[in-house]
Amino acid sequence: MTPGINRLKTWVLIAGLGGLFVLVGAWIGGSQGAMIALAFGLVFNFAMYWYSDKIAIATTRSKPVTEAEYSQLYRIVRELAQERQMPLPKIFVSQMQQPNAFATGRSPEHASVAVTEGILAILDERELRGVLAHELSHVLNRDILIGSIAAAIGMSITFLARFALFFGGGDDNRGGGLGVLAAWILAPIAAAIIQMAVSRSREYQADESGAYLSKDPDALSSALRKLEVASKQVPPLRSVSPAEAHMFIVNPMAGLRANGGFGTLFSTHPPTAERIARLDAIAQELRGGSALPNPPSAQDGPFRPL
């Protein structure tokens, strides 16, 4: 799927979420309810836009680190940022032992990237570079903003549906109690499915953008294989909620969710096998065009901060 089609798909899904939100508001209170719902959604989006990064840093127990402490980490991030002519983001290390990484911030000028202690223990430098290229691509693609909007609208729909259960629908509602119950159950489910689809779409895009940024899609593939296994064995911090799962490069709740079938509808991330298959196709393309004659050299063994 080309980047343009992927972006169009994402914004169609966002529009679907917004439309569902307004419909729920209209069902509760008619046209006035729709306007109130729209205003409520704007407030939620504003809050997520400005404060989602602070919430993410706090819940993952991430601490800012200096270049003296993590010189190689700074070097990798700086090289990738310079490649795309973006400011150097703030760099954090999380106390999480689960191998993972995430980016946050409302724009490239206000961005942060965080890696967990767990990921530094199992990835080599080349793999870590692939992961960081993926995370910086999230920033450059404005995925942080898109994800925050989707999360805010999804939470708002759930809130409105619960509000309807207790206070009933509008005057023109013909569903009675069954209609209220149906909205309470179905509206949050529909919102969750659309929100997860948005998240999966952005993960595919960040994989592709990151592969071209690092010029080493094989490294990201290798990292994803390791992270897929480890994320199912090592739980995240208890302070990390499922609502924040979309931020990470692999689903931190992978060990808790159902695999395959209906459960994939509610997954924040695409199947790792599909992500790797797409990266393999990019690697073949790059090698075919002589853009990737040899993978970049990497130190042996796990990444070391110094």
Side-chain angles (χ1 to χ4, degrees):
M1 184 177 292
T2 64
I5 294 176
N6 216 330
R7 280 191 287 269
L8 176 61
K9 174 185 174 183
T10 298
W11 284 109
V12 167
L13 291 168
I14 288 287
L17 262 179
L20 178 60
F21 184 41
V22 174
L23 283 175
V24 172
W27 183 85
I28 295 174
S31 58
Q32 184 178 5
M35 294 302 296
I36 293 174
L38 184 59
F40 188 76
L42 290 174
V43 171
F44 259 76
N45 283 327
F46 179 82
M48 292 295 291
Y49 179 77
W50 285 99
Y51 300 112
S52 61
D53 57 337
K54 297 178 177 62
I55 295 172
I57 293 299
T59 58
T60 56
R61 298 180 188 172
S62 298
K63 305 294 183 183
V65 295
T66 66
E67 189 163 4
E69 295 173 308
Y70 288 84
S71 59
Q72 290 182 347
L73 181 59
Y74 265 81
R75 175 175 55 79
I76 294 171
V77 176
R78 181 176 287 111
E79 289 173 356
L80 292 171
Q82 289 176 345
E83 178 74 18
R84 292 300 304 272
Q85 299 181 344
M86 66 174 288
L88 181 71
K90 297 177 183 177
I91 299 176
F92 292 79
V93 172
S94 166
Q95 296 177 8
M96 281 177 59
Q97 294 308 304
Q98 183 189 78
N100 228 316
F102 68 91
T104 187
R106 59 186 184 272
S107 68
E109 291 73 31
H110 302 87
S112 300
V113 62
V115 295
T116 68
E117 292 179 352
I119 204 172
L120 297 179
I122 70 169
L123 297 190
D124 63 28
E125 182 176 340
R126 180 184 162 204
E127 292 166 337
L128 185 64
R129 183 183 179 88
V131 167
L132 290 169
H134 170 102
E135 295 304 329
L136 291 184
S137 293
H138 272 312
V139 174
L140 291 163
N141 295 340
R142 299 303 198 278
D143 291 338
I144 314 303
L145 174 60
I146 293 170
S148 296
I149 291 173
I153 296 177
M155 287 188 295
S156 300
I157 290 173
T158 300
F159 176 84
L160 285 176
R162 290 175 179 173
F163 182 87
L165 179 67
F166 288 102
F167 296 99
D171 295 337
D172 57 349
N173 173 42
R174 298 181 181 180
L178 289 178
V180 173
L181 184 60
W184 179 63
I185 296 173
L186 297 179
I189 291 176
I193 291 174
I194 297 174
Q195 183 184 343
M196 297 306 102
V198 170
S199 177
R200 292 192 295 271
S201 176
R202 301 323 298 162
E203 286 302 317
Y204 278 136
Q205 185 61 60
D207 283 346
E208 181 175 344
S209 300
Y212 285 110
L213 174 57
S214 68
K215 300 179 179 65
D216 189 9
D218 291 330
L220 181 54
S221 294
S222 177
L224 287 175
R225 289 187 181 94
K226 290 183 179 181
L227 298 178
E228 170 77 1
V229 174
S231 64
K232 294 179 180 178
Q233 298 174 342
V234 183
L237 293 171
R238 292 184 179 180
S239 55
V240 177
S241 72
E244 296 169 315
H246 68 278
M247 298 188 313
F248 295 87
I249 188 168
V250 295
N251 186 357
M253 311 295 173
L256 306 176
R257 68 174 176 83
N259 291 319
F262 186 72
T264 60
L265 288 173
F266 297 95
S267 174
T268 54
H269 293 67
T272 301
E274 292 185 15
R275 297 173 69 179
I276 291 173
R278 293 187 180 211
L279 289 168
D280 288 346
I282 294 173
Q284 291 180 2
E285 175 190 336
L286 290 174
R287 290 195 181 92
S290 300
L292 187 64
N294 294 297
S297 60
Q299 65 179 41
D300 295 329
F303 174 83
R304 294 290 183 265
L306 294 176

